[in-house]
Amino acid sequence: MADKENKELREKLLFEKKNGAAKAGSEVLAAADEFCEDYKLFLDTGKTEREAAAEAVRQAKEAGFVEFENGKKYAAGDKVYRLNREKAVLLAVIGKQPVEQGVRIAAAHIDSPRIDLKQNPLYENDELAYFKTHYYGGIKKYQWSVIPLALHGVVCRKDGSKVTVRIGEDAGDPQFCITDLLPHLAAEQMRKGAADIIPGEKLNILIGSRPLDGDSGKDSVKLNIMKLLNEKYGIIEEDFLSAELEAVPAYKAVDVGFDRSMIGAYGHDDRVCAYPAFKAMFDCGVPEKTAVVCLADKEETGSDGNTGLASSYLEYFIHDLAEMQGGCGRRALSNSSCLSADVNAAFDPNFADVFEKRNSSLVNGGVVLTKFTGARGKSGTSDASAEYVAEIRSIFDNADIVWQTAELGKVDAGGGGTVALYVANLDVDVVDIGVPVLSMHAPFEVVSKLDVYMTYKAIKAFFEN
Ligand code: MN
Ligand code: MN
């Protein structure tokens, strides 16, 4: 009998981590697989913050959202959006309670690490044409050479007109790349530290090699490229001064593994939380508290700038929602709560030594709840309160969410931040949740379909409570 009693005691008292996929069961896994088919399309459509913002708004309009108008009154169940400078999106479903009693916010970011063009990008060197770049976000630079790149973005002319560029994605499109040294001649390069293998100023994108037909002047390859760009886009070299052009991996999202349990793609961080966030909002019915989704830009460079979450646009939006009902925006914020939805580092058995396994997120462990982020002594964290974490725990368990907790790696190994602190600074209760990612910030990141789906279910349950 003692054995049986001990077993019961063990189950009652101890907290045991279980494989999420085994716990979820085949029906849930099938739902996860189906959910992720559309997520993969979203990744392929929205490879930059502008494209992800446009696609989120397109899907929102299809789901009945209308552009928020100041001075107009909206009733419970009304769906509104606001697009901030084409790079960040705010969505809301008006709840049954007054906004002043607080809103439920899910905040994710839609910018990803990439290679940006400099303002004077085009040059010719030894009869090859290149773009000069300045990388965006925290990358291992060597990972971005010798992969196919596509070019996305906008060129704004002095007359106010704007050209949209998206080349390297469609069948038959040319693609671009950053070259690397052949191993035969890399003896000295291979002795360098990984940060110096491809220094920032060598991240030059190869874009052409033929001189202009019949031309004998200097920089004829460059001139030929500019001629082609002028024919295709109607731009001149000077127009690069007011352009935002971003090189991103040219391939599409694919299933990974014989069991197709994972997705490999560029830009999971953080579209893998952005997509579940707005889908959860589309499916949450008429919530008690007004539901707000914020899809932010500039997280990867520190959330500064007027489209990053250190800016006031989320605060202004909630003020506008409250004031629309004659309420007080400041009180609305103080009564609000938020899931800051961003990725976490999945435990990688190949690099186990940088993780503390008891407090790491596992692939297929479900949505990760991260009480605090930060590096070396929690620096830069907003650290969710125990009270708020308990509330979220209860919401997740009541909705049968497969979830886990983690922090990002070993205490002194490094660390990272999210947008949580900027929302917390508005006097809002915030905790980080999101999807565990393998090879985070690499041009090909890997996530589990179950974890993506559980992030959707978790945000939906949060809105519905
Ligand atoms: Mn992120
Ligand atoms: Mn990131």
Side-chain angles (χ1 to χ4, degrees):
M1 267 329 263
D3 269 3
K4 190 174 170 247
E5 277 165 27
N6 288 349
K7 189 168 173 267
E8 280 170 9
L9 202 61
R10 177 165 279 112
E11 276 167 15
K12 189 177 160 203
L13 297 183
L14 297 186
F15 174 57
E16 213 182 319
K17 279 195 184 179
K18 293 192 191 98
N19 181 296
K23 200 160 59 178
S26 58
E27 239 169 78
V28 173
L29 290 176
D33 291 352
E34 200 192 318
F35 181 82
C36 285
E37 286 308 302
D38 284 338
Y39 168 55
K40 285 187 283 182
L41 293 179
F42 176 70
L43 284 173
D44 296 340
T45 311
K47 286 195 177 181
T48 65
E49 70 288 17
R50 286 175 187 268
E51 290 174 354
E55 177 60 14
V57 167
R58 189 194 67 77
Q59 292 194 25
K61 282 180 176 169
E62 219 173 71
F65 285 70
V66 296
E67 194 168 3
F68 183 83
E69 283 176 53
N70 283 317
K72 203 171 162 187
K73 259 192 104 62
Y74 296 93
D78 282 353
K79 302 164 178 179
V80 296
Y81 75 88
R82 177 180 282 170
L83 181 60
N84 176 8
R85 296 169 174 86
E86 309 204 350
K87 299 181 191 183
V89 185
L90 294 157
L91 300 156
V93 178
I94 309 301
K96 293 173 193 158
Q97 294 176 9
V99 171
E100 191 178 287
Q101 288 180 27
V103 302
R104 294 279 209 197
I105 306 164
H109 68 93
I110 49 176
D111 61 318
S112 298
R114 58 179 193 248
I115 311 283
D116 283 352
L117 296 204
K118 292 194 186 190
Q119 289 333 108
N120 284 304
L122 179 61
Y123 72 102
E124 176 177 338
N125 200 355
D126 292 317
E127 296 177 28
L128 293 174
Y130 294 94
F131 280 144
K132 288 298 295 177
T133 69
H134 191 145
Y135 60 95
Y136 175 98
I139 61 168
K140 290 173 156 180
K141 297 184 287 281
Y142 66 84
Q143 292 179 335
W144 293 73
S145 65
V146 291
I147 59 167
L149 296 172
L151 208 61
H152 295 232
V154 295
V155 184
C156 295
R157 299 191 199 88
K158 247 193 320 198
D159 65 4
S161 61
K162 180 155 75 177
V163 196
T164 301
V165 174
R166 186 181 166 95
I167 185 164
E169 297 290 348
D170 295 332
D173 272 5
Q175 297 180 343
F176 314 95
C177 69
I178 295 159
T179 57
D180 193 3
L181 195 53
L182 63 167
H184 317 63
L185 296 177
E188 196 189 313
Q189 184 197 35
M190 296 300 276
R191 279 193 294 271
K192 289 182 178 168
D196 303 316
I197 292 173
I198 307 275
E201 291 297 347
K202 280 200 202 302
L203 288 172
N204 303 316
I205 301 174
L206 182 63
I207 55 166
S209 68
R210 279 188 192 166
L212 182 67
D213 192 23
D215 181 63
S216 56
K218 80 181 234 302
D219 285 352
S220 193
V221 178
K222 171 180 166 176
L223 180 60
N224 192 37
I225 294 293
M226 206 54 241
K227 180 173 173 273
L228 292 168
L229 290 174
N230 183 263
E231 284 165 8
K232 189 169 169 64
Y233 300 110
I235 57 169
I236 58 172
E237 189 180 7
E238 207 182 333
D239 291 330
F240 283 120
L241 297 179
S242 47
E244 285 175 0
L245 292 166
E246 308 172 5
V248 296
Y251 36 76
K252 291 184 169 22
V254 293
D255 287 346
V256 167
F258 287 113
D259 56 8
R260 295 181 177 270
S261 59
M262 298 166 281
I263 305 168
Y266 162 67
H268 280 308
D269 178 8
D270 184 33
R271 292 169 202 132
V272 75
C273 298
Y275 181 79
F278 70 74
K279 290 303 262 192
M281 164 165 273
F282 294 175
D283 298 341
C284 75
V286 184
E288 281 298 314
K289 285 185 185 294
T290 293
V292 173
V293 164
C294 177
L295 307 178
D297 179 31
K298 292 285 179 287
E299 195 278 339
E300 296 296 355
T301 52
S303 292
D304 292 318
N306 53 20
T307 52
L309 258 184
S311 161
S312 302
Y313 65 95
L314 172 63
E315 182 184 354
Y316 292 165
F317 185 56
I318 290 164
H319 275 253
D320 287 345
L321 289 172
E323 284 161 19
M324 171 268 292
Q325 297 176 338
C328 166
R330 185 181 59 70
R331 269 196 293 277
L333 281 163
S334 300
N335 290 328
S336 291
S337 52
C338 173
L339 296 180
S340 160
D342 204 346
V343 297
N344 201 319
F347 175 80
D348 187 334
N350 278 324
F351 300 98
D353 50 328
V354 298
F355 293 93
E356 190 269 285
K357 206 171 173 186
R358 288 173 206 282
N359 289 286
S360 293
S361 60
L362 304 179
V363 168
N364 282 330
V367 58
V368 196
L369 186 148
T370 306
K371 186 176 180 297
F372 46 83
T373 58
R376 298 178 180 88
K378 297 190 180 181
S379 169
T381 186
S382 65
D383 208 342
S385 71
E387 290 84 348
Y388 184 52
V389 173
E391 186 189 330
I392 298 301
R393 256 180 84 190
S394 153
I395 290 175
F396 286 2
D397 282 343
N398 289 337
D400 288 326
I401 308 297
V402 180
W403 66 281
Q404 55 186 330
T405 62
E407 61 178 301
L408 199 150
K410 274 185 179 167
V411 171
D412 286 332
T418 65
V419 299
L421 73 163
Y422 305 105
V423 183
N425 288 348
L426 301 174
D427 195 27
V428 173
D429 275 316
V430 189
V431 70
D432 278 295
I433 62 124
V435 176
V437 178
L438 291 168
S439 309
M440 194 197 294
H441 283 204
F444 191 76
E445 302 175 311
V446 175
V447 300
S448 128
K449 290 180 180 176
L450 176 67
D451 299 339
V452 180
Y453 183 58
M454 283 301 153
T455 300
Y456 157 79
K457 296 254 292 177
I459 298 172
K460 186 163 172 278
F462 175 67
F463 286 152
E464 287 169 349
N465 268 270

